[in-house]
Amino acid sequence: GAGVSQSPSNKVTEKGKDVELRCDPISGHTALYWYRQSLGQGLEFLIYFQGNSAPDKSGLPSDRFSAERTGGSVSTLTIQRTQQEDSAVYLCASSLARLGGAGELFFGEGSRLTVL
Amino acid sequence: EDKVVQSPLSLVVHEGDTVTLNCSYEVTNFRSLLWYKQEKKAPTFLFMLTSSGIEKKSGRLSSILDKKELFSILNITATQTGDSAVYLCAVDNYGQNFVFGPGTRLSVLP
């Protein structure tokens, strides 16, 4: 597609359930990022994928969070045993990482997660 | 720890006013500074700054970077209600992720 696509756009779940959030980056973009934005807050880095390199997982808040990127394209962020504090908008972004600069990030519309 | 600070956090102005938004940073390795506008969900790209003293301009918006004093400003002249949004500043620190500030929430009243 022309832009970064995320699904679902909204997800309401019960505490303790697992959720999966999907991101389809812009075709040809080798770098993919997940960020989390709580209400009224800035963007919190979660995880970064670059090509075939090992992902940078330094931002994942707990071992309940994991992400994978299959075939260097689509990424899935999984949150296990969701807690109410996981409620936030999860934003995915991609960039055309190139020599001399990462370039700007292109964001998807986000997935709003509400944990009851 | 790399950090990006924005001020003010919130600003209310009337249409036609000029506003200046501030972004200061402390990062180990600086590559570029980016400004984004976030109206609902997806932040949209405004500017990327890599060199000091060179103003980037797009319509009523402009931005400049000072790498010596470690800050950037985003100016919006003749504000309109459509400028109401959260403006995010982010720094590319060569660290494989972008460090974002908390944002400035701008409200432009008619």
Side-chain angles (χ1 to χ4, degrees):
Chain A
V4 178
S5 177
Q6 290 188 247
S7 62
S9 55
N10 282 285
K11 176 72 176 179
V12 180
T13 191
E14 293 179 347
K15 178 181 173 182
K17 300 283 189 183
D18 297 352
V19 296
E20 283 190 355
L21 308 177
R22 176 190 166 104
C23 173
D24 196 347
I26 292 173
S27 178
H29 280 194
T30 56
L32 186 148
Y33 306 75
W34 282 99
Y35 286 87
R36 177 169 72 173
Q37 188 174 34
S38 300
L39 187 64
Q41 302 297 311
L43 272 66
E44 175 190 3
F45 168 74
L46 296 177
I47 189 169
Y48 162 78
F49 295 90
Q50 170 55 53
N52 295 320
S53 302
D56 176 358
K57 304 179 182 180
S58 60
L60 295 179
S62 77
D63 59 8
R64 296 186 295 104
F65 287 72
S66 63
E68 62 178 24
R69 188 179 185 190
T70 54
S73 181
V74 173
S75 177
T76 302
L77 177 69
T78 301
I79 309 172
Q80 296 179 306
R81 305 181 302 282
T82 51
Q83 303 294 313
Q84 288 182 331
E85 60 262 30
D86 299 334
S87 297
V89 175
Y90 290 81
L91 289 163
C92 176
S94 69
S95 75
L96 184 62
R98 54 183 179 264
L99 186 66
E104 67 265 32
L105 297 178
F106 293 84
F107 284 87
E109 290 293 314
S111 292
R112 181 179 298 278
L113 174 65
T114 303
V115 182
L116 302 177
Chain B
E1 183 180 338
D2 291 347
K3 186 169 63 173
V4 175
V5 177
Q6 291 186 247
S7 65
L9 294 180
S10 181
L11 185 59
V12 180
V13 300
H14 287 91
E15 273 193 316
D17 289 349
T18 293
V19 297
T20 297
L21 310 183
N22 303 289
C23 174
S24 62
Y25 59 91
E26 295 177 24
V27 297
T28 308
N29 295 296
F30 176 89
R31 175 153 58 185
S32 62
L33 184 144
L34 299 90
W35 284 97
Y36 284 84
K37 178 182 182 182
Q38 186 178 28
E39 293 180 81
K40 291 186 179 177
K41 281 188 180 178
T44 54
F45 173 76
L46 295 175
F47 299 110
M48 179 164 65
L49 305 158
T50 55
S51 301
S52 275
I54 299 174
E55 184 183 55
K56 293 228 173 169
K57 198 170 173 64
S58 176
R60 296 176 294 102
L61 278 66
S62 64
S63 183
I64 197 162
L65 172 68
D66 185 329
K67 290 169 73 174
K68 181 180 177 185
E69 300 297 329
L70 309 182
F71 79 92
S72 172
I73 59 171
L74 175 68
N75 277 320
I76 309 175
T77 59
T79 51
Q80 302 171 358
T81 54
D83 295 327
S84 296
V86 174
Y87 291 83
L88 295 166
C89 173
V91 171
D92 177 358
N93 62 357
Y94 284 101
Q96 304 188 76
N97 80 79
F98 291 74
V99 182
F100 279 82
T104 294
R105 181 174 297 278
L106 174 65
S107 299
V108 181
L109 304 178

